[in-house]
Each structure stands twice: as structure tokens, then as C-alpha cells.
Amino acid sequence: MSKLNSVHVFTSESVSEGHPDKVCDQVSDAILDACLQKDKHSRVACETAVTTNFLVNMGEITCSKWDEIDKEKLVRSVVNNIGYNRKELEFCDSTFEYECRIHNQSDDIATGVDSDRSLSGEQGAGDQGMMFGYATRATPQLMPAPILYSHMLLDELQKLRKNGTISYLRPDSKSQVSVKHVDGKPVEITTVVISHQTDHVPLETIRKDMIDVVKAVLDPTGLLTDNTEFFINPTGRFEIGGPHGDAGLTGRKIIVDTYGGVGSHGGGAFSGKDPSKVDRSAAYYARYAAKNIVAAGLADKCEIQVAYAIGVAKPMSINVSTYGTAKVDEILIQRMLEEESVFNFRPSRLIESLGLLEPKGWSYLETAAYGHFGREQFPWEKCDKTDDLKKYFKI
């Protein structure tokens, strides 16, 4: 009897920089960038909330030059750059009310994290928890196809909005891409959904323009077919959006930020947190390790879980899953990670390896929309450990 192919359709969504939750992520990360530029040893846990013409920052920040940062000016600049600069949107950079309710980081946390105060004598993890990194050979970026293509669509639409090519677009939007896989490989895009906030224009115009953009972005994948279905503003109208249409909070789009639901997620959000918070930095490093493992040909898919205890440098555990695609024994990959010979998951070491305290050529603000992974400007996307891995495994 012949073996049946494994066939499934997987769907992921993205949201634009104008989505209210993403407004909050970007504001929080802009404040993080400002703190690290003033003091690279800043401890930042910045939350943002938005609603109709109102924005508030909350959380804990310890920065030696905090008073030198004009928080309100910075926040209004971020909102303006997103595109909320028209009063009729009911959330406008020049009119929203701003409040800041930020205080210093708890000294109890600092005691466990600071290397000169921790019981181990080295920098400990900023919190307990488990983090995941994932990579797959499904796309050249070693990312799952549905989330990658969802991000690509909205990234292109924001460029067309900002340069005036499609002048009726407003900042808030969502995309959703469904991809058919056979034996784990993408073979067809079955449906594309785009809901985009607009000025009052005919739905027929919106649908034509959106489908043209979808085809321009996704035709090169070779996965669009005559059977691909398009759902554009399926309610018929999307004019009220952004923080006026729905309140927003930092950290509510963790699946959008990572792998679109493919693989696992530890539950911790990224934006507004400095690298001592391992739910951000260790997730970046786990992606770095997983991507290099796949790029080196050790597996076609790789998921890494790492777990920490607050104040402790050495991970509690490291687990590797290759979903049956490994070319070497999974346990050997896990042992390699535990040995710390090629990768080192101790907070101080991974922060130094990726340059997370002094970003060069990138910013945390850039991570806050269109995905933290699969974009080559970020250091955790480098495939610079493949030779070391091949040497280690003698391949």
C-alpha cells in the first residue's frame, strides 16, 4: 500500500504598525531605545496603553539619565511616524492626552540580576520562565511561510500608504494568509485576507488595489494559484480603527511577533523590555541557535526550549525538537547546546554575543512591527555559526 502524503493548511495573521496594540509596542520599544542610548545598563519594563486620544506609559525603569529623556516628545514622534497625524482619526500625535506613570525597577529583582549582587557572582536571569526559538527550511528566511507572507503584505502596504501611492489608506490593518503544505513543504496559498482601515472610498476600488498588491508581493513565491481566494475588507467597510476603534496594550500580539502559531511560545511578550529580561533576549538567542542548526543542515526544522530561574545564570533546562527531521541524533544537538561550546545561553553571554545592549544598525523600535524574526537586519538572524556546527558534528 502506498503511503499517503501529509497534507495540511496552516494560517497565520499579522497586524500593521497602526494596530492599537502595535502602537503600544512601538512606543514601549522607542522608550527602551532612548534609555539604552543614554545608559546601556538601563533596566526597562515599559508598558503602554492607548484609547481614543489618550496614551499612558506605565512600568518600571531604572536609567541613570531618565530625566534627560523627553518622554512626551518621543512618544508623539512615534505616533506621528506611524501615521496618526490627522485629528479626524480621533487619535492624533498633536492632540492625544499623555500621562507617564513609571517608577524604578524593584530592588529585589536587581539583587538577583546584577552580577555584583547575585548569589552566583554573574548576571542572573531577569525572571523565571521558558522561551522558544524556531526555524524551518520552508522559506529562504527559515521562517514558517504563513506568518512571513502575512508580514510581507502589511509591510508593503505601509510603504504604499506612506509614499502616497494608495493615498486613501489609514494606519490600522490586518492580514491573514493560509498556506497548504504537503509533507511539510508549502505548495499553495489557499486564501488571503486583508482588512485595511481606509478613507471613505468605494469597496470595489479597495478590493482591486489590495489584490494587486497581494499579487505583486506573493507572485514571486510561486504559491498563488487560480484557486487562491481573496477576502478584502470582508465586513464591507473599515473606516473607524486604531486606538479610537479599539484600545491597545503592549504585549498582546506575541504570536504575531514570533512564528504565527507554528511551534511553541513561552508566553512572555518582548516589547518594552531590556535584554536582562530573558523572555525577550533568550527567545532571540533561541531563534539564533535554531536558525543556525537548520542552516547548517543538521535538521529541516528545529525548535529549542530554554528555561530559567530568576537570578540564576545557567538555564534550568534546554530541550531540542526537530520533528523527526534531524540528520544527527537530537540528543547530540541538545548536548552541544548544554556544553556551551558553540552557543551559550547564560544571560550575560547571549547579550554580549548579539550586541543587545548597544544595537548597531538596528533598533528595538524596528522589531515592534512586522515580526521580530525573519528580517535580516537583526543580529539573531545571522547564520555565522554554521561552520562551527559542521566542525563540531564532523559534517
Side-chain angles (χ1 to χ4, degrees):
M1 182 182 294
S2 62
K3 181 181 178 181
L4 294 176
N5 289 335
S6 171
V7 179
H8 74 279
V9 176
F10 200 90
T11 302
S12 297
E13 74 159 349
S14 179
V15 298
S16 73
E17 64 196 72
H19 186 283
D21 294 331
K22 279 290 148 202
V23 172
C24 295
D25 287 345
Q26 289 165 94
V27 168
S28 293
D29 272 337
I31 290 176
L32 169 62
D33 283 327
C35 289
L36 292 178
Q37 288 166 10
K38 294 286 187 180
D39 174 6
K40 71 176 184 178
H41 299 296
S42 297
R43 294 290 160 76
V44 180
C46 180
E47 309 293 343
T48 303
V50 293
T51 186
T52 302
N53 262 330
F54 179 75
L55 186 151
V56 58
N57 285 134
M58 305 165 287
E60 304 81 46
I61 293 179
T62 300
C63 173
S64 62
K65 298 182 179 180
W66 175 245
D67 291 340
E68 296 181 12
I69 300 172
D70 188 335
K71 278 74 74 174
E72 182 169 351
K73 181 179 179 180
L74 174 63
V75 169
R76 292 189 187 279
S77 174
V78 172
V79 171
N80 176 273
N81 186 63
I82 292 170
Y84 287 111
N85 47 25
R86 297 161 52 187
K87 293 181 180 180
E88 65 267 25
L89 297 179
E90 298 293 343
F91 183 76
C92 176
D93 66 304
S94 63
T95 62
F96 69 76
E97 179 186 355
Y98 175 70
E99 289 193 25
C100 184
R101 295 289 184 268
I102 289 174
H103 55 82
N104 286 346
Q105 181 190 58
S106 164
D107 193 58
D108 291 348
I109 296 175
T111 298
V113 176
D114 295 343
S115 59
D116 59 344
R117 302 166 68 188
S118 70
L119 296 177
S120 64
E122 62 178 311
Q123 180 175 343
D127 202 352
Q128 71 176 48
M130 61 282 188
M131 299 84 212
F132 291 87
Y134 181 82
T136 171
R137 203 172 289 282
T139 64
Q141 295 86 347
L142 304 187
M143 284 288 288
I147 187 65
L148 179 68
Y149 299 152
S150 296
H151 287 323
M152 289 170 59
L153 289 174
L154 293 188
D155 191 25
E156 179 64 17
L157 284 167
Q158 67 89 11
K159 292 174 184 175
L160 296 174
R161 170 174 61 86
K162 289 181 174 179
N163 68 23
T165 300
I166 306 181
S167 59
Y168 60 77
L169 295 180
R170 292 179 175 180
D172 194 0
S173 61
K174 289 185 175 183
S175 64
Q176 186 172 287
V177 178
S178 301
V179 180
K180 180 180 179 181
H181 298 72
V182 175
D183 293 335
K185 297 179 180 179
V187 298
E188 179 185 355
I189 295 172
T190 58
T191 61
V192 177
V193 181
I194 294 179
S195 296
H196 209 303
Q197 183 188 17
T198 68
D199 291 331
H200 186 64
V201 296
L203 183 58
E204 293 75 17
T205 300
I206 299 169
R207 285 179 170 164
K208 177 186 180 303
D209 290 343
M210 295 298 100
I211 291 173
D212 286 346
V213 171
V214 171
K215 290 180 177 178
V217 172
L218 297 184
D219 264 341
T221 69
L223 300 180
L224 289 179
T225 72
D226 292 339
N227 295 322
T228 301
E229 294 186 277
F230 301 94
F231 297 88
I232 310 299
N233 285 11
T235 65
R237 185 173 67 182
F238 182 12
E239 296 176 11
I240 299 173
H244 182 50
D246 190 10
L249 293 169
T250 300
R252 284 206 300 195
K253 289 293 177 284
I254 57 176
I255 300 303
V256 171
D257 286 341
T258 52
Y259 307 103
V262 176
S264 305
H265 196 297
F270 298 156
S271 289
K273 298 177 182 178
D274 75 86
S276 72
K277 282 74 172 172
V278 285
D279 43 5
R280 181 173 209 164
S281 56
Y284 288 174
Y285 199 73
R287 160 66 176 172
Y288 175 56
K291 185 175 183 182
N292 275 270
I293 287 167
V294 172
L298 302 181
D300 292 333
K301 297 180 183 179
C302 181
E303 180 180 271
I304 296 171
Q305 184 207 54
V306 58
Y308 293 90
I310 187 168
V312 181
K314 187 176 180 180
M316 300 294 99
S317 66
I318 297 176
N319 181 67
V320 175
S321 175
T322 62
Y323 300 91
T325 69
K327 308 301 187 281
V328 299
D329 197 319
E330 273 185 8
I331 193 63
L332 298 179
I333 299 175
Q334 180 175 314
R335 287 175 182 170
M336 176 271 299
L337 294 175
E338 292 171 340
E339 284 176 7
E340 302 179 344
S341 55
V342 180
F343 299 97
N344 193 320
F345 279 86
R346 294 172 186 255
S348 64
R349 298 295 297 275
L350 67 87
I351 288 169
E352 179 183 10
S353 174
L354 297 180
L356 298 181
L357 290 178
E358 298 178 278
K360 291 180 172 61
W362 62 281
S363 69
Y364 285 101
L365 174 58
E366 291 177 74
T367 69
Y370 312 115
H372 291 246
F373 304 122
R375 300 160 66 198
E376 296 303 316
Q377 70 264 44
F378 302 134
W380 48 90
E381 294 297 319
K382 296 182 297 184
C383 291
D384 58 354
K385 294 287 189 179
T386 54
D387 288 342
D388 292 338
L389 288 168
K390 290 176 182 178
K391 182 178 179 181
Y392 182 96
F393 288 101
K394 298 180 174 59
I395 59 174

